[in-house]
Amino acid sequence: MAGSVNKVILVGNLGRDPEVRSMQSGGRTVSFSVATSETWNDRTTGERKEKTQWHRVVIFNEKLGEIAEKYLRKGSKVYVEGQLETRKYTDKDGNERDITEVVIGRFKGDLTLLDSRGGGTAEFEDEGPAVQRGSAARTAPARQGGGWDSRRELDDDIPF
Amino acid sequence: MAGSVNKVILVGNLGRDPEVRSMQSGGRTVSFSVATSETWNDRTTGERKEKTQWHRVVIFNEKLGEIAEKYLRKGSKVYVEGQLETRKYTDKDGNERDITEVVIGRFKGDLTLLDSRGGGTAEFEDEGPAVQRGSAARTAPARQGGGWDSRRELDDDIPF
Amino acid sequence: MAGSVNKVILVGNLGRDPEVRSMQSGGRTVSFSVATSETWNDRTTGERKEKTQWHRVVIFNEKLGEIAEKYLRKGSKVYVEGQLETRKYTDKDGNERDITEVVIGRFKGDLTLLDSRGGGTAEFEDEGPAVQRGSAARTAPARQGGGWDSRRELDDDIPF
Amino acid sequence: MAGSVNKVILVGNLGRDPEVRSMQSGGRTVSFSVATSETWNDRTTGERKEKTQWHRVVIFNEKLGEIAEKYLRKGSKVYVEGQLETRKYTDKDGNERDITEVVIGRFKGDLTLLDSRGGGTAEFEDEGPAVQRGSAARTAPARQGGGWDSRRELDDDIPF
DNA sequence: TTTT
DNA sequence: TTTT
């Protein structure tokens, strides 16, 4: 749509180590879940309450995926900037269901490590992502293979 | 979780008029779907492609809900700032499913009309939302009724 | 710095037509000012008040610059996503001063037209910006000339 | 302006301890500078380059100010969400100058501590900011004194 | 300098 | 003035 914006910004911690999956196109995705939580004082009881939300993040960019795979672990704190995408999948009982994910695409999105143990950053900048740590070879976005809709080619039906 | 951020920013158009629903708590919610879309040139065919995403937006803030009800219509362009929330619901076949929504809560979020026909804005500012049009009475946030988790009390199981 | 984020999101109207300038490097920048405003009810008098802020936006990306030049005019409503940058300049009296701008860089940022008259969008996606209108030739980001710090080579000292 | 958005999101480190200042209205502001930086590989030399930006953050919300004063120190990593504001001030030579700041206002903005040493969060939610650490008394936003434009009453002319 |  |  002309003139639309679809942006999600999360700061939270990974619930588990990232998972790497292969697509039929040959590309890979790296995915993980990020927890965010709200805390508030209950209006009537005065109790402290907390509600945690889990967000499924999927990375389609090869370089950011490598960095996620290399540096993110269960418990890592990250800044994620991606797009909201809802897709269909077929569950184990053969029923079609929806799953909504935060997608860091091939040419859009951001991933920044916030852990003090060695924060790094990886974004779409300059002639390639600015990676502060690690020695991954630089690759210009435009030369990366795979199409934008390659995520439709995921090998499996179970989303997570 | 200490130190987390959960933010969604959308600019898009409503697919239908907003829907108003009552909660058992007596409060109301106003909800609607917003379309955003990406366009790109297919890498191999060179074709122009477009993918539309639909986002379910739910407003729990009374004042913003009133404004949405009053000024938003099918086709309206809006700026929405809310939080990602995934909740369970039971579908018509009795199966438990997940639905992810962009929630404009009682004390957090933003809604801005972008239509030239009379853009308005409604946010949590000053002593109440700054409403540029309409004559809705001002209500200080802290005096609004209902609790943060009142959305769990929705009257029905079908999410949209 | 490892793990940093610098992001500005604006929705507002242009005060004047965009200005195009040439850099010594041969590249061009397109810049314009965007107005945003807050309205609120004065706590004591109850009066409706409004405060307008002007934001200087500078585009270093050739394609987005072309689109801005082509489609943005005085009064146009836009969504801008850029980075905050403060730089020194020498004013007409020879004094060094600071100017803070919202920069849409070569490989980062977003510009979306929100006018009903023909909203368009132009972002860093896929193999080039997704331009919904106009016929500007597609150019892959990695092939664009000029360096990231080329903005230091602006031909003149007066920032706006 | 009807339908405008003015939002800055920063993740970075404080260059010094926060500074507390009193306003003639009796309120206080807490301010500090946050550094963000970009790194990239120079296109011609291949050298690793880095450019740091400093952002002036000013907090007008009493509760968030207290938290900043209590928990932020030189080197602390924070997530800041505020508004861009440019104001005039008179420098030591009597010249009028502009300074642009990221303002966390009375009813708008966010501050989240990202340090592993004990991340906390403080936002405008529910009946008061959700503070995960510290024992600051809760205060409902609507009961806080001072007006939105009280920042115009700053006691001094020198901005930082 | 915009817009409402 | 931070951080890596």
Side-chain angles (χ1 to χ4, degrees):
Chain A
M1 166 186 320
S4 71
V5 174
N6 174 358
K7 182 172 291 291
V8 180
I9 289 174
L10 301 174
V11 172
N13 298 75
L14 273 73
R16 292 202 205 140
D17 288 357
E19 291 161 39
V20 183
R21 335 187 74 153
S22 294
M23 295 185 287
Q24 296 183 335
S25 64
R28 300 186 318 157
T29 63
V30 178
S31 56
F32 49 84
S33 289
V34 170
T36 59
S37 69
E38 292 285 324
T39 55
W40 72 96
N41 294 309
D42 185 88
R43 193 176 41 92
T44 49
T45 67
E47 271 181 292
R48 194 90 202 119
K49 294 204 169 180
E50 179 171 21
K51 183 171 63 166
T52 297
Q53 285 286 332
W54 286 96
H55 312 273
R56 186 83 191 152
V57 177
V58 187
I59 304 175
F60 285 88
N61 176 278
E62 282 291 322
K63 181 153 295 301
L64 297 188
E66 278 173 29
I67 290 161
E69 188 184 356
K70 206 164 175 179
Y71 299 111
L72 295 183
R73 290 291 172 270
K74 176 180 176 174
S76 295
K77 175 161 283 184
V78 282
Y79 170 94
V80 169
E81 192 178 319
Q83 292 181 263
L84 259 193
E85 297 197 8
T86 300
R87 62 181 173 86
K88 303 281 185 201
Y89 75 99
T90 308
D91 72 9
K92 61 184 191 317
D93 301 323
N95 298 315
E96 195 171 69
R97 286 158 168 269
D98 287 332
I99 170 111
T100 300
E101 297 162 317
V102 176
V103 173
I104 298 180
R106 244 168 251 287
F107 300 99
K108 212 168 179 184
D110 208 328
L111 179 69
T112 299
L113 287 67
L114 300 173
D115 285 311
S116 54
R117 12 177 168 158
T121 230
E123 320 171 29
F124 299 112
E125 302 166 50
D126 197 359
E127 300 177 63
V131 186
Q132 267 91 10
R133 44 173 302 181
S135 57
R138 287 188 48 266
T139 314
R143 276 179 262 131
Q144 292 180 322
W148 219 97
D149 50 357
S150 50
R151 69 178 312 225
R152 308 293 143 226
E153 312 161 41
L154 277 167
D155 277 342
D156 46 345
D157 292 329
I158 299 117
F160 57 95
Chain B
M1 166 188 321
S4 72
V5 173
N6 174 359
K7 182 171 292 290
V8 180
I9 289 172
L10 301 174
V11 172
N13 298 76
L14 273 73
R16 291 200 207 142
D17 288 358
E19 291 161 39
V20 183
R21 335 187 74 153
S22 295
M23 295 185 287
Q24 296 184 335
S25 64
R28 298 187 319 155
T29 63
V30 177
S31 55
F32 50 83
S33 288
V34 170
T36 59
S37 69
E38 294 285 324
T39 56
W40 72 97
N41 293 310
D42 186 88
R43 192 174 42 91
T44 48
T45 67
E47 273 180 293
R48 193 91 201 118
K49 295 204 167 177
E50 179 171 21
K51 183 172 62 168
T52 296
Q53 284 287 331
W54 287 95
H55 312 275
R56 186 84 192 150
V57 177
V58 187
I59 304 176
F60 285 88
N61 176 278
E62 281 292 320
K63 180 153 297 300
L64 297 188
E66 278 173 29
I67 292 161
E69 188 184 356
K70 206 164 176 178
Y71 300 110
L72 295 183
R73 289 293 172 267
K74 176 181 177 173
S76 295
K77 175 161 283 186
V78 282
Y79 169 92
V80 168
E81 191 178 321
Q83 292 182 263
L84 259 193
E85 297 197 7
T86 300
R87 62 180 172 88
K88 303 282 186 199
Y89 74 99
T90 307
D91 72 10
K92 60 184 192 318
D93 301 323
N95 298 315
E96 194 172 68
R97 287 160 169 267
D98 287 332
I99 170 108
T100 299
E101 298 163 316
V102 176
V103 173
I104 298 181
R106 243 169 252 287
F107 300 99
K108 212 168 178 182
D110 209 328
L111 179 68
T112 300
L113 288 66
L114 300 173
D115 285 311
S116 54
R117 10 174 168 162
T121 231
E123 319 173 28
F124 299 111
E125 302 167 49
D126 197 358
E127 301 178 63
V131 185
Q132 266 92 10
R133 46 173 301 183
S135 58
R138 286 188 47 263
T139 314
R143 276 180 261 129
Q144 292 179 323
W148 222 98
D149 50 356
S150 51
R151 70 180 309 227
R152 308 292 143 228
E153 314 160 39
L154 277 168
D155 277 343
D156 47 344
D157 293 329
I158 299 117
F160 59 97
Chain C
M1 166 187 320
S4 72
V5 173
N6 175 358
K7 182 171 292 291
V8 180
I9 289 173
L10 302 174
V11 172
N13 299 74
L14 273 73
R16 292 201 205 139
D17 289 357
E19 290 161 40
V20 183
R21 334 187 75 151
S22 296
M23 295 184 288
Q24 295 183 336
S25 64
R28 299 186 319 155
T29 64
V30 178
S31 56
F32 49 85
S33 288
V34 170
T36 59
S37 69
E38 293 285 322
T39 56
W40 71 96
N41 293 309
D42 186 88
R43 191 175 43 90
T44 48
T45 66
E47 271 181 293
R48 194 92 202 118
K49 294 204 167 177
E50 180 171 19
K51 183 172 62 167
T52 297
Q53 285 287 330
W54 287 97
H55 312 274
R56 186 85 191 150
V57 177
V58 187
I59 303 176
F60 285 88
N61 175 278
E62 281 292 321
K63 180 153 296 298
L64 297 188
E66 278 173 29
I67 292 161
E69 189 184 357
K70 205 165 177 179
Y71 301 110
L72 296 184
R73 288 292 171 268
K74 175 179 178 173
S76 296
K77 175 161 284 187
V78 281
Y79 169 94
V80 168
E81 191 178 320
Q83 292 181 263
L84 259 193
E85 298 197 6
T86 300
R87 62 180 173 87
K88 304 281 185 201
Y89 74 99
T90 307
D91 72 9
K92 59 186 193 318
D93 301 324
N95 299 315
E96 194 172 70
R97 287 160 168 266
D98 286 332
I99 171 104
T100 299
E101 297 162 317
V102 176
V103 174
I104 298 180
R106 243 168 253 287
F107 301 98
K108 212 167 179 183
D110 208 327
L111 179 68
T112 299
L113 287 67
L114 299 174
D115 284 312
S116 54
R117 7 177 169 161
T121 231
E123 320 173 27
F124 299 111
E125 303 167 49
D126 197 357
E127 300 177 65
V131 186
Q132 266 91 11
R133 48 174 298 182
S135 58
R138 289 187 46 264
T139 313
R143 274 179 264 129
Q144 292 179 323
W148 219 98
D149 51 355
S150 50
R151 71 177 309 224
R152 309 288 143 230
E153 313 160 41
L154 278 166
D155 277 343
D156 46 345
D157 291 329
I158 298 118
F160 59 98
Chain D
M1 168 187 320
S4 72
V5 173
N6 174 359
K7 182 171 293 290
V8 180
I9 289 173
L10 301 174
V11 172
N13 298 74
L14 274 73
R16 293 203 203 136
D17 288 357
E19 290 161 40
V20 183
R21 335 187 74 152
S22 295
M23 295 184 288
Q24 296 183 335
S25 64
R28 299 186 319 156
T29 64
V30 178
S31 55
F32 49 85
S33 288
V34 170
T36 59
S37 69
E38 293 286 324
T39 55
W40 72 96
N41 293 309
D42 186 88
R43 195 174 40 91
T44 47
T45 67
E47 271 181 293
R48 193 91 202 118
K49 293 205 168 179
E50 179 172 19
K51 183 172 63 165
T52 296
Q53 284 287 332
W54 287 96
H55 312 274
R56 186 84 191 150
V57 177
V58 187
I59 304 176
F60 285 88
N61 176 277
E62 281 291 321
K63 181 153 295 300
L64 298 188
E66 280 174 27
I67 291 161
E69 189 185 356
K70 205 164 176 180
Y71 300 110
L72 296 184
R73 289 292 170 268
K74 175 179 177 172
S76 295
K77 174 161 283 185
V78 282
Y79 169 95
V80 168
E81 191 178 321
Q83 293 180 263
L84 259 193
E85 297 196 6
T86 299
R87 62 182 173 86
K88 304 280 186 202
Y89 73 99
T90 308
D91 72 9
K92 61 186 191 315
D93 301 323
N95 298 316
E96 194 171 71
R97 287 160 168 267
D98 286 332
I99 171 111
T100 299
E101 297 162 317
V102 176
V103 173
I104 298 180
R106 245 168 250 287
F107 301 99
K108 213 169 179 182
D110 208 327
L111 179 68
T112 300
L113 288 66
L114 299 174
D115 284 313
S116 54
R117 9 175 169 161
T121 230
E123 320 172 28
F124 298 112
E125 303 165 50
D126 198 0
E127 300 177 63
V131 185
Q132 266 91 10
R133 47 172 298 182
S135 56
R138 288 186 48 264
T139 315
R143 275 180 262 130
Q144 293 180 322
W148 220 97
D149 51 355
S150 51
R151 71 176 311 222
R152 307 294 142 226
E153 313 161 41
L154 277 167
D155 277 342
D156 45 347
D157 291 329
I158 299 117
F160 56 95

Short mmCIF file of all heavy atoms in Angstrom, two decimals, chain A residues 15 22 28 34 51 63-64 80-81 86 92 94 96 119 125 143 146 156:
data_model
loop_
_atom_site.label_atom_id
_atom_site.label_comp_id
_atom_site.label_asym_id
_atom_site.label_seq_id
_atom_site.Cartn_x
_atom_site.Cartn_y
_atom_site.Cartn_z
N GLY A 15 14.27 -16.47 25.23
CA GLY A 15 13.82 -17.56 26.09
C GLY A 15 14.66 -18.81 25.91
O GLY A 15 14.76 -19.64 26.82
N SER A 22 16.71 -24.45 7.54
CA SER A 22 17.02 -24.27 6.12
C SER A 22 15.75 -24.11 5.32
O SER A 22 14.72 -24.72 5.63
CB SER A 22 17.78 -25.49 5.59
OG SER A 22 19.03 -25.56 6.22
N ARG A 28 18.84 -19.68 4.77
CA ARG A 28 18.54 -20.11 6.13
C ARG A 28 17.80 -19.02 6.89
O ARG A 28 17.89 -17.85 6.56
CB ARG A 28 19.86 -20.39 6.88
CG ARG A 28 20.70 -21.49 6.23
CD ARG A 28 21.89 -21.81 7.10
NE ARG A 28 22.49 -20.62 7.64
CZ ARG A 28 23.23 -20.63 8.75
NH1 ARG A 28 23.46 -21.76 9.41
NH2 ARG A 28 23.77 -19.50 9.18
N VAL A 34 11.46 -13.73 22.07
CA VAL A 34 11.88 -12.65 22.97
C VAL A 34 10.75 -12.36 23.95
O VAL A 34 9.59 -12.23 23.55
CB VAL A 34 12.20 -11.37 22.17
CG1 VAL A 34 12.39 -10.17 23.09
CG2 VAL A 34 13.43 -11.59 21.30
N LYS A 51 2.92 -9.18 33.59
CA LYS A 51 2.43 -9.99 32.48
C LYS A 51 3.53 -10.08 31.42
O LYS A 51 4.00 -9.05 30.94
CB LYS A 51 1.18 -9.35 31.87
CG LYS A 51 0.57 -10.19 30.75
CD LYS A 51 -0.78 -9.66 30.29
CE LYS A 51 -0.68 -8.26 29.70
NZ LYS A 51 -1.89 -7.84 28.96
N LYS A 63 23.39 -12.28 7.02
CA LYS A 63 24.39 -11.74 7.92
C LYS A 63 23.87 -11.57 9.35
O LYS A 63 24.53 -11.97 10.32
CB LYS A 63 24.89 -10.39 7.40
CG LYS A 63 25.95 -9.77 8.26
CD LYS A 63 26.84 -8.87 7.48
CE LYS A 63 27.62 -9.66 6.45
NZ LYS A 63 28.46 -10.72 7.08
N LEU A 64 22.68 -11.01 9.46
CA LEU A 64 22.12 -10.84 10.80
C LEU A 64 21.85 -12.20 11.41
O LEU A 64 21.99 -12.39 12.63
CB LEU A 64 20.84 -10.01 10.75
CG LEU A 64 21.00 -8.58 10.26
CD1 LEU A 64 19.70 -7.81 10.45
CD2 LEU A 64 22.12 -7.87 11.03
N VAL A 80 15.43 -5.44 18.93
CA VAL A 80 15.00 -5.99 17.65
C VAL A 80 14.10 -4.98 16.96
O VAL A 80 13.21 -4.41 17.58
CB VAL A 80 14.19 -7.30 17.86
CG1 VAL A 80 13.50 -7.73 16.57
CG2 VAL A 80 15.09 -8.41 18.37
N GLU A 81 14.36 -4.77 15.68
CA GLU A 81 13.46 -3.92 14.91
C GLU A 81 13.06 -4.70 13.67
O GLU A 81 13.92 -5.10 12.88
CB GLU A 81 14.18 -2.63 14.53
CG GLU A 81 13.26 -1.58 13.99
CD GLU A 81 14.00 -0.31 13.67
OE1 GLU A 81 14.89 0.09 14.44
OE2 GLU A 81 13.71 0.27 12.61
N THR A 86 1.91 -11.97 9.59
CA THR A 86 1.06 -13.10 9.99
C THR A 86 0.98 -14.05 8.81
O THR A 86 0.75 -13.63 7.67
CB THR A 86 -0.34 -12.60 10.39
OG1 THR A 86 -0.21 -11.70 11.48
CG2 THR A 86 -1.23 -13.76 10.81
N LYS A 92 -0.22 -29.86 13.74
CA LYS A 92 -0.04 -31.32 13.74
C LYS A 92 -1.34 -32.10 13.48
O LYS A 92 -1.31 -33.26 13.08
CB LYS A 92 0.60 -31.75 15.06
CG LYS A 92 -0.24 -31.42 16.29
CD LYS A 92 0.50 -31.78 17.57
CE LYS A 92 -0.41 -31.71 18.79
NZ LYS A 92 -1.31 -30.56 18.85
N GLY A 94 -3.49 -31.11 11.29
CA GLY A 94 -3.93 -30.78 9.94
C GLY A 94 -4.79 -29.53 9.84
O GLY A 94 -5.32 -29.21 8.78
N GLU A 96 -5.45 -25.51 9.71
CA GLU A 96 -4.76 -24.30 9.30
C GLU A 96 -4.86 -23.27 10.42
O GLU A 96 -5.94 -23.01 10.96
CB GLU A 96 -5.40 -23.75 8.04
CG GLU A 96 -4.50 -22.71 7.38
CD GLU A 96 -5.01 -22.28 6.01
OE1 GLU A 96 -6.07 -21.62 5.98
OE2 GLU A 96 -4.38 -22.62 4.99
N GLY A 119 28.35 -6.27 23.92
CA GLY A 119 27.31 -5.77 23.03
C GLY A 119 27.85 -5.64 21.62
O GLY A 119 28.99 -5.28 21.41
N GLU A 125 23.56 -0.95 7.12
CA GLU A 125 24.12 0.38 6.96
C GLU A 125 25.25 0.32 5.94
O GLU A 125 25.82 -0.71 5.70
CB GLU A 125 24.78 0.85 8.25
CG GLU A 125 23.86 0.90 9.42
CD GLU A 125 24.72 1.04 10.65
OE1 GLU A 125 25.58 1.92 10.66
OE2 GLU A 125 24.54 0.25 11.57
N ARG A 143 23.83 -8.19 -3.26
CA ARG A 143 24.40 -9.40 -3.82
C ARG A 143 23.90 -10.67 -3.13
O ARG A 143 24.21 -11.76 -3.54
CB ARG A 143 25.92 -9.34 -3.75
CG ARG A 143 26.52 -8.57 -4.93
CD ARG A 143 28.02 -8.49 -4.85
NE ARG A 143 28.43 -7.21 -4.28
CZ ARG A 143 29.30 -7.10 -3.30
NH1 ARG A 143 29.84 -8.17 -2.76
NH2 ARG A 143 29.62 -5.91 -2.84
N GLY A 146 18.40 -15.22 -2.97
CA GLY A 146 17.06 -15.45 -2.39
C GLY A 146 16.15 -14.28 -2.66
O GLY A 146 16.58 -13.15 -2.87
N ASP A 156 9.12 -26.72 6.52
CA ASP A 156 8.19 -27.43 7.39
C ASP A 156 6.98 -26.59 7.73
O ASP A 156 6.91 -25.40 7.46
CB ASP A 156 8.91 -27.83 8.67
CG ASP A 156 9.70 -26.67 9.21
OD1 ASP A 156 9.91 -25.68 8.43
OD2 ASP A 156 10.08 -26.69 10.35
#
